[in-house]
Amino acid sequence: MDEYVNNRIIGGSIVNEVTRETSGNKNDFIKRLDMLATTLSLNEDRKLISLEKYRLLFSTYKKMIETDVDHFFLEKQKQSKVVESLQRSQDFLTYKNHTLLWEAFGKMRSDDPTDFMLFSVLTNLVEDEHVSPQFFGLIVYKKENKLIVVKVDSEEQFSSGQVSYAKIPVTKAEMLSKIIYFERDSLNPRPFSLLKDIELLSEGFQVIPALTIGRQGMDHSKTKEVEDTLKVLLFHCRTDIFSLDTAGKVTPVWNPFVNQANLEMRKRFLEAVKGENKT
């Protein structure tokens, strides 16, 4: 676990540091602190994370990239495009109809790893209300006349590995936008309903065998899959995940040249939370 960051939160330092900067904005601060605790697996609340908390989470990710002056996450020339894609992913949380998502797919650039949409999806594992649902992440890219849907499922609950992808013809982009949009607001989705629908629109998910998601102890945070998915998409900005040598295994990291990169990311996440509350 990230001891440095956790000690600062548990010891109360973050409250002392941030509260001084957020007078008149107490409710937003409480939401952000709760979101931060959830992200760091300190919040044991088993209730589903709200769309508002995801909005705050995406906003914090954006701030991390915007303030990445030493290029910890990615090169300077790619940062603004990634921020733009994260903003579009955040905007999806407030879309009032599926056509806005369809239009967003239509505007995406082809063969550009910085141009994507990031989704967090909740699914039931079985038809049993007593079994906790599972979160997984999706990234949508455009490649020529296809939409590439990358699935990140570190727990391998679905039968297509930790990281896999499906190719969907752009002629089916409206249908894809519909199923993602309506799944967003579903309170009791069928087991793996969205993934099964994506399989019907494509030729199924293909595993990326060289890509593996590293485990971080007993991390059961509701936002872990989103974080894993962000790590994969930033890795793809540096290394083409679709062209990896299948003879070996690669684990995406925040920065391959920095020791304790996970700890460094947590520090930057904390600073981004504080920075967001200054605005």
Side-chain angles (χ1 to χ4, degrees), residues 128-250:
D128 185 344
E129 63 181 13
H130 300 295
V131 177
S132 296
Q134 171 76 21
F135 286 89
F136 60 90
L138 291 180
I139 316 166
V140 176
Y141 299 103
K142 188 175 183 180
K143 185 176 178 64
E144 299 175 349
N145 62 345
K146 305 279 189 182
L147 291 176
I148 310 299
V149 182
V150 176
K151 175 183 66 66
V152 178
D153 175 17
S154 62
E155 300 299 324
E156 296 188 73
Q157 298 287 356
F158 199 61
S159 59
S160 53
Q162 287 188 312
V163 184
S164 56
Y165 66 96
K167 297 180 180 180
I168 297 176
V170 292
T171 54
K172 298 181 180 179
E174 183 180 14
M175 184 58 68
L176 177 63
S177 67
K178 284 183 178 180
I179 62 176
I180 293 177
Y181 174 78
F182 289 113
E183 189 84 6
R184 183 197 72 182
D185 297 330
S186 176
L187 298 178
N188 188 32
R190 294 176 291 109
F192 302 110
S193 56
L194 179 56
L195 298 182
K196 292 177 180 178
D197 287 341
I198 290 174
E199 285 189 318
L200 293 175
L201 294 177
S202 65
E203 296 180 356
F205 283 96
Q206 304 175 54
V207 178
I208 303 179
L211 211 54
T212 181
I213 304 298
R215 307 289 185 176
Q216 298 184 33
M218 297 299 290
D219 186 353
H220 297 299
S221 166
K222 304 179 188 72
T223 60
K224 179 181 182 298
E225 293 296 338
V226 185
E227 187 172 297
D228 285 341
T229 308
L230 179 68
K231 189 185 298 183
V232 168
L233 70 83
L234 291 177
F235 179 80
H236 183 48
C237 288
R238 299 188 297 266
T239 304
D240 186 355
I241 63 174
F242 304 110
S243 301
L244 294 172
D245 186 351
T246 57
K249 291 285 187 181
V250 178

Side-chain angles (χ1 to χ4, degrees), residues 7-278:
N7 283 343
R8 291 185 71 178
I9 295 174
I10 295 172
S13 297
I14 183 174
V15 176
N16 293 333
E17 291 175 19
V18 182
T19 302
R20 287 196 301 268
E21 301 164 352
T22 56
S23 59
N25 201 18
K26 183 177 180 181
N27 289 338
D28 189 57
F29 165 67
I30 292 174
K31 289 178 183 178
R32 289 188 179 280
L33 188 59
D34 184 45
M35 178 270 293
L36 177 61
T38 300
T39 303
L40 296 177
S41 306
L42 301 175
N43 189 342
E44 297 300 325
D45 184 7
R46 300 298 297 171
K47 293 186 295 185
L48 302 183
I49 188 168
S50 67
L51 290 179
E52 172 64 13
K53 288 182 181 178
Y54 272 121
R55 186 192 68 78
L56 295 173
L57 181 64
F58 280 32
S59 178
T60 304
Y61 288 156
K62 279 188 342 185
K63 180 65 71 173
M64 281 200 316
I65 304 300
E66 288 172 340
T67 57
D68 182 22
V69 295
D70 58 353
H71 314 146
F72 173 79
F73 292 107
L74 74 169
E75 301 95 319
K76 180 178 177 57
Q77 64 269 24
K78 297 179 180 179
Q79 290 177 0
S80 61
K81 293 181 180 179
V82 168
V83 168
E84 179 183 324
S85 293
L86 288 172
Q87 179 63 58
R88 185 173 54 203
S89 302
Q90 179 181 330
D91 291 343
F92 164 72
L93 300 175
T94 58
Y95 283 175
K96 299 301 183 183
N97 56 69
H98 79 276
T99 58
L100 295 173
L101 181 57
W102 182 23
E103 291 171 0
F105 286 154
K107 295 176 182 177
M108 294 177 69
R109 298 179 296 272
S110 180
D111 292 313
D112 185 349
T114 67
D115 194 3
F116 58 83
M117 288 202 68
L118 169 64
F119 303 96
S120 177
V121 182
L122 173 71
T123 186
N124 288 318
L125 303 181
V126 294
E127 296 283 1
D128 185 344
E129 63 181 13
H130 300 295
V131 177
S132 296
Q134 171 76 21
F135 286 89
F136 60 90
L138 291 180
I139 316 166
V140 176
Y141 299 103
K142 188 175 183 180
K143 185 176 178 64
E144 299 175 349
N145 62 345
K146 305 279 189 182
L147 291 176
I148 310 299
V149 182
V150 176
K151 175 183 66 66
V152 178
D153 175 17
S154 62
E155 300 299 324
E156 296 188 73
Q157 298 287 356
F158 199 61
S159 59
S160 53
Q162 287 188 312
V163 184
S164 56
Y165 66 96
K167 297 180 180 180
I168 297 176
V170 292
T171 54
K172 298 181 180 179
E174 183 180 14
M175 184 58 68
L176 177 63
S177 67
K178 284 183 178 180
I179 62 176
I180 293 177
Y181 174 78
F182 289 113
E183 189 84 6
R184 183 197 72 182
D185 297 330
S186 176
L187 298 178
N188 188 32
R190 294 176 291 109
F192 302 110
S193 56
L194 179 56
L195 298 182
K196 292 177 180 178
D197 287 341
I198 290 174
E199 285 189 318
L200 293 175
L201 294 177
S202 65
E203 296 180 356
F205 283 96
Q206 304 175 54
V207 178
I208 303 179
L211 211 54
T212 181
I213 304 298
R215 307 289 185 176
Q216 298 184 33
M218 297 299 290
D219 186 353
H220 297 299
S221 166
K222 304 179 188 72
T223 60
K224 179 181 182 298
E225 293 296 338
V226 185
E227 187 172 297
D228 285 341
T229 308
L230 179 68
K231 189 185 298 183
V232 168
L233 70 83
L234 291 177
F235 179 80
H236 183 48
C237 288
R238 299 188 297 266
T239 304
D240 186 355
I241 63 174
F242 304 110
S243 301
L244 294 172
D245 186 351
T246 57
K249 291 285 187 181
V250 178
T251 300
V253 294
W254 296 112
N255 187 311
F257 307 107
V258 175
N259 292 329
Q260 296 186 313
N262 285 333
L263 177 59
E264 180 62 27
M265 180 272 182
R266 293 300 195 204
K267 293 178 183 178
R268 292 169 186 248
F269 186 88
L270 172 59
E271 291 302 317
V273 170
K274 292 165 56 182
E276 281 291 286
N277 279 280
K278 293 178 183 178

